[in-house]
Every structure is written in structure tokens, then in C-alpha cells.
Amino acid sequence: MSTDIWVGSWRPHRPRGPIAALYSSPGPKYGLPTNVGYQQHDPSRYRAPAYSFGTRRFQGLENCSPGPGYLIPTNMTMRGKDGSPAYSIYGRPKDVSSFRTPGPGQYFPEKAGRWAYPSAPNYSLASRTKLFQNDQTPGPAAYGLPPMLGPGVIGKASAPNYSIFGRSMIGSFCEDLSKTPGPCNYRVVDTGVYKNRPPHYSILARNMLPGDNTVKPGPGAYSPEKQCQHRGISFGIRHSPYVAPLMVEVLD
């Protein structure tokens, strides 16, 4: 008889997959909500209304009813109060003090400011309070966040960037090696020398005419009725002394 405890060629080895027998299960005991009763009912199931009998309040025990012996007023009937008028005498009440309403001149709407009119937000700077005097928290400028613009952004594609620098006067294509004079160093010839000269105007002081201090006769100093009548004026032929005389009669 063989002394080997293993049967056949089987030997202990690592299982190729999970075996249910190696794990312990809780069995049929699950922590599911109940479907019976009102408390801790399963929310996914329909729950019928539930009613219970409560105990008597302590206040009900302290209140003792007077029983059937009530003091019913004399004017009370089976259909309500009696309709006969009733009067009583009371003292005169005090006059109600008049309400002093402010007039239009008591309001100052211009002093309302931002409470009545729309205004921009206002901010002010104050010193640090006593609670934060020893606070060593760094300010916003103490953080070195990467920029969101330019080629230095991490994880983002950057568009081509261009910059404008000043023109260098040494070694550039525009460097003037012969030091030639510029356009302003030349004397411009007046165009009136080789073209038609345009009119020129100048502004001078006003010239005063020589004054005449002689006495001039007025309109009343003339007497046209005393003037003798001259010979009438007629239109004739103007002759020049250098023209031959006009021959009226023609000789045969």
C-alpha cells in the first residue's frame, strides 16, 4: 500500500478563478426595509395610511366642565338672541389725537443718495483690524501664476507672436555711410522765379487824405433864378481839323 496522501496526480495549486466555497455569505438575512407597518417602510413600495389611538392629554384632565348647570342669559332663546334693542350708558371716550402728517417741504429726496437713486458701487480702504494684525497670509501679488496670453501658456497652442522694435542706426540697411545731407538741408528756390508769379497782397495802415479847411457854400447860397438863359444845346456833326471839308455841291 502506498504511503502518499495525494490521490492520483493531483497536487495542491493556486485556483485559476474564484471559488464560491472560499467565501462566506450572510445567508438569507439581508438588511432590506420592511413592507409592513408605517415606520421604516420601503420607499419604493406603496404605503397605506396608518391610524393609532393616542393617550389623553394632561390638559384635558385639568379642565373640569361645569356640567349641565349653565347661567343662560335671559335674552337667549332657542333660535338665538332676542331681537329687542338693548342700550347701555358708557363714559365718553377720549378724543383720538390727530395724526400729524409731514408736508411736502419736510422731505429731502436729494439727500437720499444711493438709497433712492441708482449709483455705482463704492469701496473704501481701511486699516487691518486687531484680529488680522498677526495674519501672515500672502497677498494676491505673492502668487506667480502662469500667464494666459502669449507663448508661455502651459498646455495650450500659441499663435505666432510679433513685436515692434526701434530702428537701429548701426549696421542696418538704412545706415548712411556717406553722411549725405537730408531734404531739409537744401535751399528751396521760389517758384516765382521760373513760373508765373502769383499776385501778392499785403496789409498796410490806412492812408488819411489831406484835410481841406476852406469854407464851402451850402445849398442855400445858390440862386439859380438869377442865372441868364444860355443858348440851347443841339447835336451836330463832329469834325476833325485834319479831315478835308465836306463837299456839298458837286461840280460837273
Side-chain angles (χ1 to χ4, degrees), residues 146-148 150-159:
M148 299 305 297
V153 181
I154 301 175
K156 292 183 179 294
S158 175

Side-chain angles (χ1 to χ4, degrees), residues 74-77 79-87:
T74 57
N75 60 346
M76 185 65 65
T77 62
R79 295 181 178 85
K81 290 185 178 181
D82 188 9
S84 59
Y87 304 96

Side-chain angles (χ1 to χ4, degrees), residues 99-194:
F99 182 72
R100 298 180 180 179
T101 306
Q106 298 294 330
Y107 298 95
F108 299 94
E110 65 276 359
K111 296 182 180 180
R114 60 188 179 92
W115 303 107
Y117 303 97
S119 60
N122 299 322
Y123 305 96
S124 60
L125 298 177
S127 59
R128 179 172 292 182
T129 58
K130 296 180 179 180
L131 299 177
F132 295 94
Q133 286 182 354
N134 298 326
D135 190 6
Q136 303 297 329
T137 304
Y143 298 95
L145 298 178
M148 299 305 297
L149 298 177
V153 181
I154 301 175
K156 292 183 179 294
S158 175
N161 299 276
Y162 306 96
S163 60
I164 299 176
F165 293 93
R167 178 177 293 177
S168 178
M169 301 303 296
I170 301 175
S172 63
F173 67 94
C174 60
E175 182 181 3
D176 190 5
L177 301 178
S178 60
K179 304 299 181 181
T180 56
C184 297
N185 292 335
Y186 296 95
R187 180 177 176 274
V188 181
V189 181
D190 189 6
T191 56
V193 176
Y194 54 90

Side-chain angles (χ1 to χ4, degrees), residues 7-90:
V7 178
S9 62
W10 182 89
R11 295 293 183 271
H13 60 279
R14 186 183 299 274
R16 298 179 180 179
I19 301 176
L22 299 177
Y23 304 95
S24 61
S25 62
K29 184 180 179 181
Y30 297 98
L32 299 178
T34 179
N35 295 332
V36 181
Y38 193 84
Q39 300 292 336
Q40 298 181 357
H41 193 276
D42 188 0
S44 62
R45 302 291 181 178
Y46 175 76
R47 183 175 61 180
Y51 305 96
S52 62
F53 292 93
T55 59
R56 178 176 292 181
R57 302 289 181 178
F58 295 99
Q59 185 178 1
L61 297 176
E62 296 176 357
N63 295 337
C64 298
S65 61
Y70 296 101
L71 299 177
I72 302 175
T74 57
N75 60 346
M76 185 65 65
T77 62
M78 59 180 301
R79 295 181 178 85
K81 290 185 178 181
D82 188 9
S84 59
Y87 304 96
S88 61
I89 299 175
Y90 292 94

